Coordinates of all heavy atoms in Angstrom, one line a residue:
F227 N -61.7 99.9 4.4 CA -62.4 100.9 5.3 C -61.9 100.7 6.8 O -62.5 99.9 7.5 CB -63.9 100.6 5.2 CG -64.8 101.6 5.8 CD1 -64.9 102.9 5.3 CD2 -65.4 101.4 7.1 CE1 -65.7 103.9 5.9 CE2 -66.2 102.3 7.7 CZ -66.4 103.6 7.1
T228 N -60.8 101.4 7.1 CA -60.2 101.1 8.4 C -60.7 102.2 9.4 O -60.6 101.9 10.6 CB -58.7 101.3 8.2 OG1 -58.4 102.5 7.6 CG2 -58.1 100.1 7.3
E229 N -61.1 103.3 9.0 CA -61.6 104.4 10.0 C -63.0 104.7 9.7 O -63.4 105.0 8.6 CB -60.7 105.6 9.8 CG -59.3 105.4 10.1 CD -58.5 106.7 9.9 OE1 -59.1 107.7 9.5 OE2 -57.3 106.7 10.2
N230 N -63.8 104.6 10.8 CA -65.2 104.8 10.7 C -65.5 106.3 11.0 O -66.0 106.6 12.1 CB -66.0 103.9 11.6 CG -67.5 104.0 11.4 OD1 -68.0 104.7 10.5 ND2 -68.3 103.4 12.3
T231 N -65.1 107.1 10.1 CA -65.3 108.6 10.3 C -66.3 109.1 9.3 O -66.7 108.4 8.4 CB -64.0 109.3 10.1 OG1 -63.5 109.1 8.8 CG2 -62.9 108.8 11.1
L232 N -66.7 110.4 9.5 CA -67.7 111.0 8.6 C -67.2 111.1 7.2 O -67.8 110.8 6.2 CB -68.1 112.3 9.2 CG -69.2 113.1 8.3 CD1 -70.4 112.3 8.2 CD2 -69.4 114.5 8.9
S233 N -65.9 111.5 7.2 CA -65.3 111.7 5.9 C -65.2 110.3 5.1 O -65.4 110.2 3.9 CB -63.9 112.3 6.0 OG -63.2 112.4 4.7
S234 N -64.8 109.3 5.9 CA -64.7 107.9 5.3 C -66.0 107.4 4.8 O -66.1 106.8 3.8 CB -64.1 107.0 6.4 OG -62.8 107.4 6.8
R235 N -67.0 107.6 5.6 CA -68.3 107.2 5.2 C -68.8 107.9 4.0 O -69.5 107.3 3.1 CB -69.3 107.3 6.4 CG -69.1 106.3 7.5 CD -70.3 106.3 8.5 NE -70.5 107.6 9.1 CZ -70.0 108.0 10.2 NH1 -69.2 107.2 10.9 NH2 -70.3 109.2 10.8
R236 N -68.5 109.2 3.9 CA -68.9 110.0 2.7 C -68.2 109.5 1.4 O -68.7 109.5 0.4 CB -68.7 111.4 2.9 CG -69.7 112.1 3.9 CD -69.4 113.5 4.1 NE -70.3 114.1 5.0 CZ -70.2 115.4 5.5 NH1 -69.3 116.2 5.0 NH2 -71.1 115.9 6.3
N237 N -67.0 109.2 1.6 CA -66.1 108.7 0.5 C -66.2 107.2 0.2 O -65.4 106.7 -0.6 CB -64.7 109.2 0.7 CG -64.5 110.7 0.7 OD1 -65.3 111.4 0.0 ND2 -63.6 111.2 1.6
L238 N -67.0 106.5 1.0 CA -67.0 105.1 0.9 C -67.5 104.6 -0.5 O -66.9 103.7 -1.1 CB -67.9 104.5 2.0 CG -68.1 102.9 1.9 CD1 -66.7 102.3 2.1 CD2 -69.1 102.5 3.0
R239 N -68.5 105.3 -1.0 CA -69.0 104.9 -2.3 C -68.0 105.1 -3.4 O -67.8 104.2 -4.2 CB -70.3 105.7 -2.6 CG -71.0 105.3 -3.9 CD -72.2 106.2 -4.1 NE -72.9 105.8 -5.3 CZ -73.9 104.8 -5.4 NH1 -74.2 104.2 -4.2 NH2 -74.4 104.5 -6.5
S240 N -67.3 106.3 -3.3 CA -66.3 106.5 -4.4 C -65.1 105.6 -4.2 O -64.6 105.1 -5.3 CB -65.8 108.0 -4.3 OG -65.3 108.2 -3.0
K241 N -64.8 105.2 -3.0 CA -63.7 104.2 -2.8 C -64.1 102.9 -3.4 O -63.3 102.2 -4.1 CB -63.4 104.1 -1.3 CG -62.6 105.3 -0.8 CD -62.2 105.0 0.7 CE -61.4 106.2 1.2 NZ -61.0 105.9 2.6
I242 N -65.3 102.5 -3.1 CA -65.8 101.2 -3.6 C -65.8 101.2 -5.2 O -65.4 100.2 -5.8 CB -67.2 100.8 -3.1 CG1 -67.1 100.6 -1.5 CG2 -67.8 99.6 -3.8 CD1 -68.5 100.4 -0.9
E243 N -66.2 102.3 -5.7 CA -66.3 102.4 -7.2 C -64.8 102.4 -7.8 O -64.6 101.7 -8.8 CB -67.0 103.6 -7.6 CG -68.5 103.6 -7.3 CD -69.2 104.9 -7.7 OE1 -68.5 105.8 -8.1 OE2 -70.4 104.9 -7.7
R244 N -63.9 103.2 -7.1 CA -62.6 103.1 -7.6 C -61.9 101.8 -7.5 O -61.2 101.3 -8.3 CB -61.7 104.2 -6.8 CG -62.0 105.6 -7.3 CD -61.0 106.6 -6.8 NE -60.9 106.5 -5.3 CZ -61.6 107.4 -4.5 NH1 -62.4 108.3 -5.0 NH2 -61.4 107.3 -3.2
R245 N -62.2 101.1 -6.3 CA -61.6 99.8 -6.1 C -62.2 98.8 -7.1 O -61.5 97.9 -7.7 CB -61.9 99.3 -4.7 CG -61.3 97.9 -4.3 CD -61.5 97.7 -2.8 NE -60.8 96.4 -2.5 CZ -59.5 96.2 -2.4 NH1 -58.7 97.2 -2.5 NH2 -59.1 95.0 -2.1
S246 N -63.5 98.9 -7.4 CA -64.1 98.0 -8.4 C -63.5 98.3 -9.8 O -63.2 97.4 -10.5 CB -65.7 98.3 -8.4 OG -66.2 97.5 -9.4
L247 N -63.3 99.6 -10.0 CA -62.6 99.9 -11.3 C -61.2 99.4 -11.4 O -60.8 98.8 -12.4 CB -62.6 101.4 -11.5 CG -62.0 102.0 -12.8 CD1 -62.8 101.4 -14.0 CD2 -62.0 103.5 -12.8
A248 N -60.5 99.4 -10.3 CA -59.1 98.9 -10.3 C -59.1 97.4 -10.4 O -58.3 96.8 -11.2 CB -58.4 99.3 -8.9
I249 N -60.1 96.8 -9.7 CA -60.2 95.3 -9.9 C -60.5 94.9 -11.3 O -60.0 94.0 -11.9 CB -61.3 94.7 -8.9 CG1 -60.8 94.9 -7.4 CG2 -61.5 93.3 -9.2 CD1 -61.8 94.6 -6.4
N250 N -61.5 95.7 -11.9 CA -61.8 95.4 -13.3 C -60.7 95.6 -14.3 O -60.5 94.9 -15.2 CB -63.0 96.3 -13.8 CG -64.3 95.8 -13.0 OD1 -64.5 94.6 -12.7 ND2 -65.3 96.8 -12.8
E251 N -59.9 96.7 -14.0 CA -58.7 97.0 -14.8 C -57.7 95.9 -14.7 O -57.1 95.4 -15.7 CB -58.1 98.3 -14.5 CG -59.0 99.5 -14.9 CD -58.3 100.8 -14.5 OE1 -57.3 100.8 -13.7 OE2 -58.8 101.9 -14.9
D252 N -57.5 95.4 -13.4 CA -56.6 94.3 -13.2 C -57.1 93.0 -13.9 O -56.3 92.3 -14.5 CB -56.4 94.0 -11.7 CG -55.7 95.1 -11.0 OD1 -55.0 95.9 -11.7 OD2 -55.8 95.2 -9.7
F253 N -58.4 92.8 -13.8 CA -59.0 91.7 -14.5 C -58.8 91.8 -16.0 O -58.5 90.8 -16.7 CB -60.5 91.5 -14.1 CG -61.2 90.4 -14.8 CD1 -61.0 89.1 -14.4 CD2 -62.0 90.7 -15.9 CE1 -61.7 88.1 -15.0 CE2 -62.6 89.7 -16.6 CZ -62.5 88.3 -16.1
L254 N -59.0 93.0 -16.5 CA -58.9 93.2 -17.9 C -57.5 93.0 -18.4 O -57.2 92.4 -19.4 CB -59.4 94.6 -18.3 CG -59.3 95.0 -19.8 CD1 -60.2 94.1 -20.6 CD2 -59.7 96.4 -20.0
S255 N -56.5 93.5 -17.5 CA -55.1 93.3 -17.9 C -54.7 91.8 -17.9 O -54.0 91.3 -18.8 CB -54.2 94.0 -16.9 OG -52.8 93.8 -17.2
A256 N -55.2 91.1 -16.8 CA -55.0 89.7 -16.8 C -55.6 88.9 -17.9 O -55.1 88.0 -18.5 CB -55.4 89.1 -15.5
F257 N -56.9 89.4 -18.3 CA -57.6 88.7 -19.4 C -56.9 89.0 -20.7 O -56.9 88.1 -21.6 CB -59.0 89.2 -19.4 CG -59.9 88.5 -20.3 CD1 -60.4 87.2 -20.0 CD2 -60.2 89.0 -21.6 CE1 -61.2 86.5 -20.8 CE2 -61.0 88.3 -22.4 CZ -61.5 87.0 -22.1
R258 N -56.3 90.2 -20.9 CA -55.5 90.5 -22.0 C -54.3 89.4 -22.2 O -54.1 88.9 -23.3 CB -55.0 91.9 -22.1 CG -56.0 93.0 -22.3 CD -55.2 94.3 -22.7 NE -56.2 95.4 -22.8 CZ -56.5 96.2 -21.9 NH1 -55.9 96.1 -20.7 NH2 -57.4 97.2 -22.0
E259 N -53.7 89.2 -21.1 CA -52.6 88.2 -21.2 C -53.1 86.8 -21.6 O -52.5 86.1 -22.3 CB -51.8 88.2 -19.8 CG -51.1 89.5 -19.5 CD -50.4 89.4 -18.2 OE1 -50.5 88.3 -17.5 OE2 -49.8 90.4 -17.8
V260 N -54.3 86.5 -20.9 CA -54.9 85.2 -21.2 C -55.3 85.2 -22.7 O -55.1 84.2 -23.4 CB -56.1 84.9 -20.3 CG1 -56.8 83.7 -20.7 CG2 -55.7 84.8 -18.9
K261 N -55.9 86.3 -23.2 CA -56.3 86.3 -24.6 C -55.1 86.2 -25.5 O -55.1 85.5 -26.5 CB -57.1 87.6 -24.8 CG -57.6 87.7 -26.3 CD -58.4 89.0 -26.5 CE -58.9 89.1 -27.9 NZ -57.8 89.1 -28.9
S262 N -54.0 86.9 -25.1 CA -52.8 86.8 -25.9 C -52.3 85.4 -25.9 O -51.9 84.9 -27.0 CB -51.7 87.8 -25.4 OG -50.5 87.7 -26.1
S263 N -52.3 84.8 -24.7 CA -51.9 83.4 -24.7 C -52.8 82.5 -25.5 O -52.3 81.6 -26.3 CB -51.8 82.9 -23.3 OG -50.9 83.6 -22.5
L264 N -54.1 82.8 -25.4 CA -55.0 82.0 -26.2 C -54.9 82.2 -27.7 O -55.0 81.3 -28.5 CB -56.5 82.3 -25.8 CG -56.9 81.8 -24.4 CD1 -58.3 82.3 -24.1 CD2 -56.8 80.3 -24.3
D265 N -54.6 83.5 -28.1 CA -54.3 83.8 -29.5 C -53.1 83.0 -30.0 O -53.0 82.4 -31.1 CB -54.1 85.3 -29.7 CG -55.4 86.0 -29.5 OD1 -56.5 85.4 -29.6 OD2 -55.3 87.3 -29.3
D266 N -52.0 83.0 -29.1 CA -50.8 82.2 -29.5 C -51.1 80.8 -29.6 O -50.7 80.1 -30.6 CB -49.7 82.5 -28.4 CG -49.2 83.9 -28.4 OD1 -49.4 84.6 -29.4 OD2 -48.6 84.3 -27.4
I267 N -51.9 80.3 -28.6 CA -52.3 78.8 -28.7 C -53.2 78.6 -30.0 O -53.0 77.5 -30.6 CB -53.1 78.4 -27.4 CG1 -52.2 78.5 -26.2 CG2 -53.7 77.0 -27.6 CD1 -52.9 78.3 -24.9
Y268 N -54.0 79.5 -30.3 CA -54.9 79.4 -31.5 C -54.0 79.3 -32.7 O -54.2 78.5 -33.7 CB -55.9 80.6 -31.6 CG -56.6 80.6 -32.9 CD1 -57.7 79.7 -33.1 CD2 -56.3 81.5 -33.9 CE1 -58.4 79.7 -34.3 CE2 -57.0 81.5 -35.1 CZ -58.0 80.6 -35.3 OH -58.7 80.6 -36.5

């Protein structure tokens, strides 16, 4: 959130949600690798 404008404030919620979704997807991807590694270890 670099610009404090009306448009930015309106889209803040959607940005936060999209960023949260991206973080979750990254976490899920990383967890898949961990799970794959754990499966190999298993």
Side-chain angles (χ1 to χ4, degrees):
F227 189 75
T228 56
E229 295 180 359
N230 188 10
T231 61
L232 180 62
S233 177
S234 298
R235 288 194 297 272
R236 290 178 177 176
N237 297 326
L238 177 61
R239 184 181 183 87
S240 60
K241 285 184 179 181
I242 292 173
E243 291 177 353
R244 286 196 299 270
R245 184 171 179 80
S246 177
L247 180 61
I249 292 173
N250 290 332
E251 288 178 352
D252 293 339
F253 177 78
L254 181 60
S255 177
F257 189 77
R258 284 196 186 97
E259 295 180 359
V260 173
K261 182 179 181 299
S262 178
S263 299
L264 289 175
D265 290 339
D266 294 339
I267 293 174
Y268 173 77

